[in-house]
Amino acid sequence: MKHYEEILSKIEEYNTIIIHRHVRPDPDAFGSQYGLQRFIQAKYRTKHVYAVGDSEPSLAFMGTPDKIDDATYEGALVIVCDTANAPRIDDTRYANGDALIKIDHHPAVDQYGEINYVNTGASSTSEIIYDMIESLGATEYINREIASALYLGIVGDTGRFLFNNTTPRTMAIASALLTYDIHHTELLNQLGEKDPHLMPFQGYVLQNFELEDNGFCQVKITEDVLKQFDVAASEASLFVNTIADLKGLKVWVFAVDEGTEIRCRLRSKGIVINDVAADFGGGGHPNASGVSVDSWETFEQLAAQLRAKVQ
């Protein structure tokens, strides 16, 4: 409660507030960012509140990032949502504001804010934003748009409530958000939709995963595969959980060659793997992390450490 009051006090102090989140945004990055933006706009109608960063076509239905010039940061409060370490903040201008706040649920890697609120017990940063609003007695300002953003953020980071970060508190918050007539079935359909041209690529993933007897699995997507199926690297990443229902699966890595780097998405069923991600300069949740490596040779080293987790 004390941290929430400090955050609210800072928000009340500034007329311009700029909200950032991490690169390669997922539903929780957008959900917490847009949810907080819309809450501040609803509660303080005269403030100028911006949500910045690159867009993500697959999540465009959640909102459109704002475009602002450098001068907007002068005398502004900057809030970064859902980002453990500063190098992953989308838009490096985050440091150009007058004050900086971090709100996150990932294990603390880099406490870069003047106020750092990190709750690793929360399923998502979207859950934290709702908890803050409720704790401050401000739920009267929640509307359908705010509730929709936060609900999608929670759904995204809990894998539609299938992951073990789903708690009774998570479910209670989701239940509360449903009371705002958010049309959750339509939202979930939009969240899961994929363009028809991507389906052949999904078939490739299902035919080319490498599952080992010990429960380790890897999927390697090279540049020629992306070209063959006319799929962008960001689109390929949508299929990281395509193999999640494999019987006997314990740990898997989904690697996509993005040209300048190989982006590896690490997942597990109850086995801590974010320490491996950290060893290679990445990070994330205990059962869902990410890291980029510079070559397929380095990828094999990463895979070896993940494989050791299940031996």
Side-chain angles (χ1 to χ4, degrees), residues 10 13-14 19 24-25 44 57 60 89 107 137 146-147 152 157 178 180 212 238 245 247-248 255 269 271 292 294:
K10 276 292 184 183
E13 184 180 337
Y14 288 85
I19 306 174
R24 301 183 181 91
Y44 304 101
I89 301 174
I146 296 170
L152 285 170
D157 257 25
L178 287 175
Y180 292 91
E212 302 175 6
L238 300 174
D245 293 331
K247 185 177 181 179
K269 296 184 177 180
I271 296 173
S292 293
D294 58 5

Side-chain angles (χ1 to χ4, degrees), residues 143-145 147-148 175-184 187:
N143 53 36
R144 180 188 292 177
E145 289 70 30
S148 296
S175 177
L177 292 171
L178 287 175
T179 65
Y180 292 91
D181 190 26
I182 63 174
H183 306 311
H184 73 282
L187 290 173

Side-chain angles (χ1 to χ4, degrees), residues 184-242:
H184 73 282
T185 300
E186 179 181 343
L187 290 173
L188 293 182
N189 286 337
Q190 288 179 292
L191 190 62
E193 283 179 349
K194 295 181 178 65
D195 192 279
H197 91 276
L198 297 175
M199 293 303 100
F201 175 73
Q202 178 171 297
Y204 175 87
V205 173
L206 290 171
Q207 293 178 37
N208 290 276
F209 62 83
E210 302 174 39
L211 177 63
E212 302 175 6
D213 291 341
N214 59 9
F216 172 73
C217 184
Q218 63 182 25
V219 177
K220 298 166 66 176
I221 306 299
T222 56
E223 287 187 281
D224 61 309
V225 171
L226 294 177
K227 184 178 296 186
Q228 176 186 347
F229 291 96
D230 190 25
V231 173
S234 60
E235 292 175 321
S237 68
L238 300 174
F239 295 89
V240 60
N241 289 319
T242 295

Side-chain angles (χ1 to χ4, degrees), residues 22-23 62-63 67 91 118 123 160 162 179 189 253 255 266 286 288:
H22 61 73
V23 295
M62 292 185 68
K67 302 297 182 183
D91 195 329
V118 178
S123 70
R160 302 193 181 210
L162 290 174
T179 65
N189 286 337
V253 54
L266 286 52

Side-chain angles (χ1 to χ4, degrees), residues 259-288:
T260 58
E261 62 185 12
I262 300 169
R263 181 64 180 172
C264 305
R265 290 164 175 82
L266 286 52
R267 300 291 186 268
S268 75
K269 296 184 177 180
I271 296 173
V272 174
I273 44 82
N274 61 345
D275 54 344
V276 176
D279 286 344
F280 288 82
H285 305 291
N287 306 129

Side-chain angles (χ1 to χ4, degrees), residues 8 21 23 63 74 86 92 101 105 111 124 131-132 139 150 154 176-177 215 223 254 265 267 269 295 299:
L8 184 65
R21 35 78 183 159
V23 295
E74 296 178 9
T92 57
I101 296 174
H105 73 123
Q111 298 292 64
S124 55
D131 190 64
M132 179 176 72
T139 55
L150 298 180
I154 292 171
L177 292 171
E223 287 187 281
F254 192 93
R265 290 164 175 82
R267 300 291 186 268
K269 296 184 177 180
S295 67
F299 168 80

Side-chain angles (χ1 to χ4, degrees), residues 89-106:
I89 301 174
D90 195 344
D91 195 329
T92 57
R93 295 179 297 173
Y94 75 89
N96 294 353
D98 186 63
L100 181 62
I101 296 174
K102 171 187 178 180
I103 304 176
D104 192 24
H105 73 123
H106 299 92

Side-chain angles (χ1 to χ4, degrees), residues 38-39 42-44 133 137-143 146:
R38 294 164 186 171
F39 165 70
K43 183 172 172 56
Y44 304 101
I133 294 171
T139 55
E140 64 186 279
Y141 295 100
I142 296 180
N143 53 36
I146 296 170

